[in-house]
Amino acid sequence: MNDFNGKRVVVTGAAGVVGRAVADAFHLANADVTGIDIVEAESPYRSIVADLIDPEDARRAAGEAGHIDVLANIAGGFTMGETVAETSDETWDFMFNLNARTVLNMARAVVPGMRDRGAGRIVNIGARAGLRGAGAMGAYCASKSVVLRLTESLADELKASGINVNCILPSIVDTPRNREDMPKADFSKWVRPDQIASVVMFLASDAASAIHGASIPVEGLS
């Protein structure tokens, strides 16, 4: 297991299933963890309630977290059902705000401090669906594709400053909500939250110091 003793780690979306798994994994690896989410959740580490769609609230949360060595942007969400031609403004804005704007706002809040210190790790959560469009998933696929491009752009801008930026591309994650929505699926083929956490931790570790702008598939057997 990686040891993050002395490292200060911020995990967004920490009240969700995947965010909690990531935050817990860093906590068990001796990191000083701060979880950020729009709702409060009980945890053994510091928790900050913030709306990361609001740039000022993102800056406030980052300021309260203080020195940040690792930023794991896990906040995000999924919705489907509308064709592109039927997509409402509400669905479009919801997906782009939740999946892309949160990444942008946290980058704007955290990168200046990392650049000043000449070190840092940022791991974003994209999705396999961000690689190719799919029916009734246009807004989601488009929003996750933006995360990939932001990751690549940030990596190119920051690698000379000692900052690594990468992202992961999960397929279907084994969560209670997904099991409820797809009760006939073979859950054993889905990727588990703890498996996602392991990859995030690798990308945040010294072992990944030569990796910049990568999009890592995390698919289980699906």
Coordinates of all heavy atoms in Angstrom, one line a residue, residues 82-132:
E82 N -32.6 11.0 -22.6 CA -33.0 11.9 -23.6 C -32.1 11.7 -24.9 O -30.9 11.6 -24.7 CB -32.9 13.4 -23.1 CG -33.8 13.7 -22.0 CD -33.5 15.0 -21.4 OE1 -32.3 15.4 -21.3 OE2 -34.5 15.7 -21.0
T83 N -32.7 11.8 -26.0 CA -31.8 11.8 -27.2 C -31.2 13.2 -27.3 O -31.7 14.2 -26.6 CB -32.7 11.6 -28.5 OG1 -33.6 12.7 -28.7 CG2 -33.5 10.3 -28.4
V84 N -30.3 13.4 -28.2 CA -29.6 14.7 -28.4 C -30.7 15.7 -28.7 O -30.7 16.9 -28.2 CB -28.5 14.7 -29.4 CG1 -28.0 16.1 -29.7 CG2 -27.4 13.8 -28.9
A85 N -31.5 15.4 -29.7 CA -32.6 16.4 -30.2 C -33.6 16.7 -29.1 O -34.3 17.7 -29.2 CB -33.3 15.8 -31.4
E86 N -33.7 15.8 -28.1 CA -34.7 16.0 -27.0 C -34.1 16.6 -25.7 O -34.8 16.8 -24.7 CB -35.4 14.7 -26.7 CG -36.3 14.2 -27.9 CD -36.7 12.8 -27.6 OE1 -36.0 12.0 -26.9 OE2 -37.7 12.3 -28.2
T87 N -32.8 16.7 -25.7 CA -32.1 17.1 -24.5 C -32.5 18.5 -24.1 O -32.5 19.5 -24.8 CB -30.5 17.1 -24.7 OG1 -30.1 15.8 -25.0 CG2 -29.8 17.6 -23.5
S88 N -32.9 18.6 -22.8 CA -33.3 19.9 -22.3 C -32.1 20.7 -21.8 O -31.0 20.2 -21.6 CB -34.3 19.7 -21.1 OG -33.5 19.1 -20.0
D89 N -32.3 22.0 -21.7 CA -31.3 22.9 -21.2 C -30.9 22.5 -19.8 O -29.7 22.5 -19.4 CB -31.7 24.3 -21.2 CG -31.8 24.9 -22.6 OD1 -31.2 24.4 -23.5 OD2 -32.5 26.0 -22.8
E90 N -31.9 22.0 -19.0 CA -31.7 21.6 -17.7 C -30.7 20.4 -17.6 O -29.8 20.4 -16.8 CB -33.0 21.3 -16.9 CG -33.9 22.5 -16.7 CD -34.6 23.0 -17.9 OE1 -34.6 22.3 -18.9 OE2 -35.1 24.2 -17.9
T91 N -31.0 19.4 -18.4 CA -30.1 18.2 -18.4 C -28.7 18.6 -18.9 O -27.7 18.2 -18.3 CB -30.7 17.2 -19.4 OG1 -31.9 16.7 -18.9 CG2 -29.8 16.0 -19.5
W92 N -28.6 19.4 -20.0 CA -27.3 19.8 -20.5 C -26.5 20.5 -19.4 O -25.3 20.2 -19.1 CB -27.5 20.6 -21.7 CG -26.2 21.0 -22.4 CD1 -25.5 22.2 -22.3 CD2 -25.5 20.2 -23.3 NE1 -24.4 22.1 -23.1 CE2 -24.3 21.0 -23.7 CE3 -25.7 18.9 -23.9 CZ2 -23.4 20.5 -24.6 CZ3 -24.7 18.5 -24.8 CH2 -23.6 19.2 -25.2
D93 N -27.1 21.5 -18.8 CA -26.4 22.3 -17.8 C -26.1 21.5 -16.6 O -25.0 21.6 -16.0 CB -27.3 23.5 -17.4 CG -27.4 24.6 -18.5 OD1 -26.6 24.5 -19.5 OD2 -28.3 25.4 -18.4
F94 N -27.0 20.6 -16.2 CA -26.7 19.7 -15.0 C -25.5 18.9 -15.2 O -24.6 18.8 -14.4 CB -27.9 18.9 -14.7 CG -27.8 17.9 -13.6 CD1 -27.6 18.4 -12.3 CD2 -27.8 16.6 -13.8 CE1 -27.5 17.5 -11.2 CE2 -27.7 15.7 -12.7 CZ -27.5 16.2 -11.4
M95 N -25.4 18.2 -16.4 CA -24.3 17.3 -16.7 C -23.0 18.1 -16.8 O -21.9 17.7 -16.2 CB -24.5 16.5 -17.9 CG -25.5 15.4 -17.8 SD -24.9 14.0 -16.8 CE -25.3 14.5 -15.1
F96 N -23.0 19.2 -17.5 CA -21.7 20.0 -17.6 C -21.3 20.7 -16.3 O -20.1 20.8 -16.0 CB -21.9 21.0 -18.8 CG -21.5 20.4 -20.1 CD1 -22.4 19.6 -20.8 CD2 -20.3 20.7 -20.7 CE1 -22.1 19.0 -22.0 CE2 -20.0 20.2 -21.9 CZ -20.8 19.3 -22.6
N97 N -22.3 21.2 -15.6 CA -21.9 21.8 -14.3 C -21.3 20.7 -13.3 O -20.3 20.9 -12.7 CB -23.1 22.4 -13.6 CG -23.5 23.7 -14.3 OD1 -22.6 24.4 -14.8 ND2 -24.7 24.1 -14.1
L98 N -22.0 19.6 -13.2 CA -21.6 18.6 -12.2 C -20.3 17.9 -12.6 O -19.4 17.6 -11.8 CB -22.7 17.5 -12.1 CG -22.7 16.6 -10.9 CD1 -22.7 17.3 -9.6 CD2 -23.9 15.6 -11.0
N99 N -20.1 17.6 -13.9 CA -19.0 16.8 -14.3 C -17.8 17.6 -14.8 O -16.6 17.2 -14.6 CB -19.4 15.8 -15.5 CG -20.3 14.8 -15.0 OD1 -20.2 14.3 -13.8 ND2 -21.3 14.4 -15.8
A100 N -18.0 18.8 -15.4 CA -16.9 19.5 -16.0 C -16.6 20.8 -15.2 O -15.5 21.1 -14.9 CB -17.2 19.9 -17.5
R101 N -17.7 21.6 -14.9 CA -17.4 22.8 -14.2 C -16.8 22.6 -12.8 O -16.0 23.4 -12.3 CB -18.7 23.6 -14.1 CG -18.5 25.0 -13.5 CD -19.8 25.9 -13.6 NE -20.1 26.2 -15.0 CZ -19.5 27.2 -15.7 NH1 -18.6 27.9 -15.1 NH2 -19.9 27.4 -16.9
T102 N -17.2 21.5 -12.1 CA -16.6 21.3 -10.8 C -15.1 21.1 -10.9 O -14.3 21.5 -10.1 CB -17.2 20.0 -10.1 OG1 -17.1 18.9 -11.0 CG2 -18.7 20.3 -9.8
V103 N -14.6 20.4 -12.0 CA -13.2 20.2 -12.3 C -12.5 21.5 -12.5 O -11.5 21.8 -12.0 CB -13.0 19.2 -13.4 CG1 -11.5 19.1 -13.8 CG2 -13.5 17.8 -13.1
L104 N -13.2 22.3 -13.4 CA -12.6 23.6 -13.7 C -12.5 24.5 -12.5 O -11.4 25.1 -12.3 CB -13.5 24.3 -14.8 CG -13.1 25.8 -15.1 CD1 -11.8 25.8 -15.8 CD2 -14.2 26.3 -16.1
N105 N -13.5 24.6 -11.7 CA -13.5 25.4 -10.5 C -12.5 25.0 -9.5 O -11.8 25.8 -8.9 CB -14.9 25.5 -9.9 CG -15.9 26.3 -10.7 OD1 -15.5 27.1 -11.5 ND2 -17.2 26.1 -10.4
M106 N -12.3 23.7 -9.3 CA -11.3 23.2 -8.3 C -9.9 23.5 -8.9 O -9.0 23.8 -8.1 CB -11.6 21.8 -8.0 CG -12.7 21.5 -7.1 SD -12.6 22.5 -5.5 CE -11.2 21.7 -4.7
A107 N -9.7 23.3 -10.2 CA -8.4 23.6 -10.8 C -8.1 25.1 -10.5 O -6.9 25.4 -10.1 CB -8.4 23.2 -12.2
R108 N -9.0 25.9 -10.8 CA -8.7 27.4 -10.6 C -8.4 27.7 -9.1 O -7.7 28.6 -8.9 CB -9.9 28.2 -11.1 CG -10.1 28.1 -12.6 CD -11.1 29.1 -13.2 NE -12.5 28.8 -12.8 CZ -13.5 29.3 -13.4 NH1 -13.3 30.2 -14.4 NH2 -14.7 29.0 -13.0
A109 N -9.0 26.9 -8.2 CA -8.8 27.2 -6.8 C -7.5 26.6 -6.3 O -6.9 27.2 -5.4 CB -10.0 26.7 -6.0
V110 N -7.1 25.5 -6.8 CA -6.0 24.7 -6.2 C -4.7 24.9 -7.0 O -3.6 24.9 -6.3 CB -6.4 23.2 -6.2 CG1 -5.2 22.4 -5.8 CG2 -7.6 23.0 -5.2
V111 N -4.7 25.0 -8.3 CA -3.5 25.1 -9.1 C -2.5 26.2 -8.7 O -1.3 25.9 -8.6 CB -3.8 25.1 -10.6 CG1 -2.6 25.5 -11.4 CG2 -4.3 23.8 -11.1
P112 N -3.0 27.4 -8.4 CA -2.0 28.5 -8.0 C -1.1 28.1 -6.9 O 0.1 28.3 -6.9 CB -2.9 29.7 -7.7 CG -4.1 29.5 -8.6 CD -4.3 28.0 -8.5
G113 N -1.7 27.5 -5.8 CA -0.9 27.0 -4.7 C 0.1 25.9 -5.0 O 1.2 26.0 -4.6
M114 N -0.4 25.0 -5.8 CA 0.5 23.9 -6.2 C 1.7 24.5 -7.1 O 2.8 24.1 -6.9 CB -0.2 22.9 -7.1 CG -1.2 22.0 -6.3 SD -1.9 20.7 -7.3 CE -2.7 19.7 -6.0
R115 N 1.4 25.4 -7.9 CA 2.4 26.0 -8.8 C 3.4 26.8 -8.0 O 4.6 26.7 -8.2 CB 1.8 26.9 -9.8 CG 2.8 27.4 -10.9 CD 2.2 28.4 -11.8 NE 1.4 27.8 -12.9 CZ 0.1 28.0 -13.1 NH1 -0.5 28.8 -12.4 NH2 -0.5 27.4 -14.1
D116 N 2.9 27.5 -6.9 CA 3.9 28.2 -6.1 C 4.8 27.3 -5.3 O 6.0 27.6 -5.1 CB 3.1 29.0 -5.0 CG 2.4 30.2 -5.7 OD1 2.7 30.6 -6.8 OD2 1.5 30.8 -5.0
R117 N 4.3 26.1 -5.0 CA 5.1 25.1 -4.2 C 6.0 24.2 -5.2 O 6.9 23.5 -4.7 CB 4.3 24.2 -3.3 CG 3.6 25.0 -2.2 CD 2.9 24.0 -1.2 NE 1.8 23.3 -1.9 CZ 0.6 23.8 -2.0 NH1 0.3 25.0 -1.5 NH2 -0.3 23.1 -2.6
G118 N 5.6 24.2 -6.5 CA 6.4 23.4 -7.4 C 6.1 22.0 -7.3 O 7.0 21.1 -7.7
A119 N 4.9 21.6 -6.8 CA 4.6 20.2 -6.7 C 3.1 20.0 -6.5 O 2.4 20.9 -6.0 CB 5.3 19.6 -5.5
G120 N 2.6 18.8 -6.9 CA 1.2 18.5 -6.7 C 0.7 17.4 -7.6 O 1.4 17.1 -8.6
R121 N -0.4 16.8 -7.3 CA -1.0 15.8 -8.0 C -2.5 16.1 -8.2 O -3.2 16.4 -7.2 CB -0.9 14.4 -7.4 CG 0.6 13.9 -7.2 CD 1.2 13.4 -8.5 NE 2.4 12.7 -8.3 CZ 3.6 13.3 -8.2 NH1 3.7 14.6 -8.4 NH2 4.7 12.6 -8.1
I122 N -3.0 16.0 -9.4 CA -4.4 16.1 -9.6 C -4.9 14.9 -10.4 O -4.4 14.5 -11.4 CB -4.8 17.4 -10.4 CG1 -4.3 18.7 -9.7 CG2 -6.3 17.5 -10.7 CD1 -4.5 19.9 -10.5
V123 N -6.0 14.3 -9.8 CA -6.6 13.1 -10.5 C -8.0 13.4 -10.7 O -8.8 13.6 -9.7 CB -6.4 11.8 -9.7 CG1 -6.9 10.6 -10.4 CG2 -4.9 11.6 -9.3
N124 N -8.5 13.4 -12.0 CA -9.9 13.7 -12.3 C -10.6 12.4 -12.6 O -10.0 11.4 -13.0 CB -9.9 14.6 -13.5 CG -9.3 16.0 -13.3 OD1 -9.4 16.5 -12.2 ND2 -8.6 16.5 -14.3
I125 N -11.9 12.4 -12.5 CA -12.7 11.2 -12.8 C -13.5 11.5 -14.1 O -14.3 12.3 -14.1 CB -13.6 10.7 -11.7 CG1 -14.3 9.4 -12.0 CG2 -14.6 11.8 -11.3 CD1 -14.9 8.7 -10.8
G126 N -13.0 10.8 -15.2 CA -13.7 10.9 -16.4 C -14.7 9.7 -16.5 O -15.3 9.4 -15.5
A127 N -14.8 9.1 -17.6 CA -15.6 7.9 -17.8 C -15.3 7.3 -19.2 O -14.9 8.0 -20.1 CB -17.1 8.3 -17.8
R128 N -15.5 6.0 -19.3 CA -15.3 5.4 -20.6 C -16.2 6.0 -21.6 O -15.9 6.1 -22.8 CB -15.6 3.9 -20.4 CG -15.3 3.1 -21.7 CD -15.4 1.6 -21.5 NE -16.8 1.2 -21.1 CZ -17.1 -0.1 -20.8 NH1 -16.1 -1.0 -20.8 NH2 -18.3 -0.4 -20.4
A129 N -17.4 6.4 -21.1 CA -18.4 7.0 -22.0 C -17.9 8.4 -22.6 O -18.4 8.9 -23.6 CB -19.7 7.3 -21.3
G130 N -16.8 8.9 -22.0 CA -16.3 10.2 -22.6 C -15.4 10.0 -23.8 O -15.1 10.9 -24.5
L131 N -15.2 8.7 -24.2 CA -14.4 8.4 -25.3 C -15.2 8.3 -26.6 O -14.7 8.5 -27.7 CB -13.6 7.1 -25.2 CG -12.6 7.0 -24.0 CD1 -12.1 5.6 -23.9 CD2 -11.5 7.9 -24.3
R132 N -16.5 8.1 -26.5 CA -17.3 7.9 -27.7 C -18.8 8.1 -27.3 O -19.3 7.7 -26.2 CB -17.2 6.4 -28.2 CG -17.9 6.2 -29.5 CD -17.6 4.8 -30.0 NE -18.2 4.5 -31.3 CZ -19.5 4.2 -31.5 NH1 -20.3 4.1 -30.5 NH2 -19.9 4.0 -32.8

